[in-house]
Structure formats: C-alpha cells, structure tokens
Amino acid sequence: MVAMLDKLATERRNERTMHLDEMSIEERLAIMNAEDQQVPQVIQEQLPVITKVVERVIASFRKGGRLIYIGAGTSGRLGILDAAECVPTFGVSPNQVIGLIAGGERALIQAVEGAEDSKELAVTDLKALHLKAEDTVVGIAASGRTPYVVGGLDYARELGATTASISCNRDAVISRHADYPIEVETGPEVLTGSTRLKAGTAQKLVLNMISTTSMIGVGKVYQNLMVDVQPTNEKLEVRAKRMIAEATGVDMEMAARYFASSKGHVKTAIVMILADVSYEEAVKRLERANGFVREAL
C-alpha cells in the first residue's frame, strides 16, 4: 500500500519546496501562488471529457435523474459544497444535486476513521438515495484510489447509471471504474501530501464547470444571468431585481414592480417585459419552453 502511494504524483515531494520551513512568509506565498497557476492549464487538457460528463448530466436532468457526487475527506466536502450551492443559485430542489461523503454528516467537520476504506458503506449510502439508472454519479478522489468511491461507482454502474470520476493522478484506480474518467494531474503539493491545496483547487474548478454548465443546459441561465436564483434574503432580492433590469433594459423602479407582479420569479418577470404579456401568459410560455427564457420570448 505504501509503495503504491509513493507512485502517486500527489504524494511525491515537491522539489521546489524542499526548504519550505526556511522560506520567508512572502516566499511561501509566492511559491503557493506559482503552483496554483498550473491548475487551470492542466484542467484545460481534460475539457473534452468534462464536456461529455456535462452532456450526460444534462441528459440525466431531462429524464428526471440527479447528479450525485461521492467522495471522502476534502473531496467529499467539495462535492457537498457544490451540491449545496446549486439550490440557491439555480433554484433547484436539494434532491437534484446531492453530495455524499464517507462517514456521513459528521465527516464534514471531523475525520471518521475507516469510512473511506469501505466500499460497502458507499453502496449503503447510494441505496438510501434510491439510486436509479437515470442518475449520474461522479466519484471524487484526489488520490484516485479511495475504496469508498470505487464501491459507489461500481454499484452505480451495476444499476445502469452514468458514472464519472475526478482524480488528480494519471492512470487512477477510480478511472477504471467510471464511464468518463477526468484525470487532472496537479503534481506534488507545496506541502507534501496535502491534497486540499492544488488538488482541492482543481477538483473545485471541475465541479464548478460540471454543475454550472449543466444548469445552463436545462434553462437555468438567460444570457449570463442566474435567472432561477431564489431571492431568500435582502441581498438576493436586490440581485434579482437588478437582473430583471439588466436583461430587459427597464429601470430599477420598473424592475421592482415586475418583480412583485411576477411573484418574485425573475424569469417570469423578464418574459412579461420582453414579450409584453401577462403574468399568466408568461408562466405558460415558460412551461412550454421547459424553462428556457429565449424560447419563451
């Protein structure tokens, strides 16, 4: 097991930081910044496979399926973070994008010993969600070898669900258990083995891409505006009114009036203004257009 870990790029020592403890604070920050700048370039190489994953997620959504992230430790927390942010940003149900972490909710704030080493635990967690063939399961593991993730991907494939993986090493174990393996090799960390650094950044960026572009693909965005945002607080309500104004060209006072008459639904307000129709007609148009504003105009 140790020999296997030694072969992973994420576990090797970084030759540029062998004297990390002797550097000044500014030098440490500079080397961390320089290492982080490599991440987007490595991700760029994986855009073709990320594209395929997004296509599959959109297909899942259109069939009533879900996007389910599964991981352990930092990887699991990043998946849960991305899933949680989809609810207010895109106005989706908490059940449409879901994050699972080895060890459950307690593992969000402290380590749960042995949880990531259990393939069976992943199966139990996915069964609790009533996993189905229409779902897409994305396994996340910086090392690319976490048993919990392997177990989850294998179970998902047995049921006919689409599977993808995100790892930060080439020829990762989990890649062999996924239909669409994404391998973002970020290399040795500034602090040896601390994969919450470059590897964590890479995973977060890929998750951003998958969830955001998938939501665009099912009509959650008009132009570059998050028009399904849920105005659950004062800041978001102001943002919603500003979006109405920016999308239609009306002033903020008019936007506020349409925000109220659309019952706080940005998309409906935009269609009401641009198509010059009533609230009821705007709602019907959006329903016929499956939520796509452009098609409803």
Side-chain angles (χ1 to χ4, degrees), residues 47-288:
L47 290 182
V49 66
I50 296 173
T51 298
K52 293 178 181 177
V53 173
V54 171
E55 290 171 348
R56 297 310 304 161
V57 174
I58 292 172
S60 284
F61 288 162
R62 288 176 175 168
K63 292 183 291 186
R66 301 163 293 178
L67 168 59
I68 301 171
Y69 297 130
I70 184 167
T74 297
S75 298
R77 295 183 190 104
L78 288 170
I80 289 175
L81 172 63
D82 195 72
E85 291 290 349
C86 285
V87 177
T89 304
F90 300 109
V92 298
S93 161
N95 297 317
Q96 185 166 349
V97 184
I98 301 170
L100 293 178
I101 184 171
E105 189 173 331
R106 185 161 64 94
L108 285 171
I109 56 176
Q110 66 183 68
V112 177
E113 297 300 331
E116 71 173 61
D117 295 327
S118 173
K119 293 182 180 180
E120 294 74 19
L121 181 58
V123 175
T124 299
D125 289 345
L126 288 171
K127 283 183 176 180
L129 292 179
H130 304 290
L131 185 70
K132 54 188 179 181
E134 291 79 11
D135 297 328
T136 295
V137 176
V138 179
I140 316 166
S143 67
R145 53 171 297 281
T146 306
Y148 177 80
V149 175
V150 171
L153 291 173
D154 284 347
Y155 177 66
R157 293 181 90 175
E158 287 176 15
L159 294 186
T162 297
T163 56
S165 63
I166 304 172
S167 62
C168 296
N169 286 289
R170 294 197 184 279
D171 301 318
V173 172
I174 63 172
S175 295
R176 299 194 288 271
H177 298 262
D179 302 319
Y180 302 98
I182 300 168
E183 295 184 340
V184 185
E185 189 174 40
T186 48
E189 298 286 2
V190 167
L191 183 64
T192 306
S194 184
T195 51
R196 69 186 182 87
L197 301 178
K198 283 191 300 183
T201 299
Q203 291 172 27
K204 180 65 171 70
L205 291 176
V206 173
L207 292 172
N208 286 348
M209 290 178 168
I210 292 173
S211 59
T212 302
T213 54
S214 295
M215 291 298 174
I216 295 169
V218 291
K220 297 295 182 179
V221 172
Y222 174 60
Q223 297 176 349
N224 61 350
L225 302 172
M226 54 175 90
V227 289
D228 261 326
V229 66
Q230 296 297 293
T232 54
N233 58 43
E234 183 179 355
K235 180 192 74 173
L236 292 177
E237 185 172 322
V238 171
R239 178 179 292 170
K241 294 173 183 175
R242 184 181 300 117
M243 280 193 285
I244 294 169
E246 291 177 342
T248 64
V250 303
D251 59 29
M252 285 298 292
E253 183 179 350
M254 181 70 74
R257 288 206 295 269
Y258 273 95
F259 177 78
S261 60
S262 68
K263 301 181 181 180
H265 193 248
V266 175
K267 279 182 175 180
T268 303
I270 292 172
V271 174
M272 288 172 68
I273 296 169
L274 294 181
D276 191 20
V277 296
S278 67
Y279 168 78
E280 291 76 15
E281 177 62 21
V283 170
K284 289 179 182 177
R285 287 186 177 213
L286 283 166
E287 288 177 352
R288 290 196 297 266

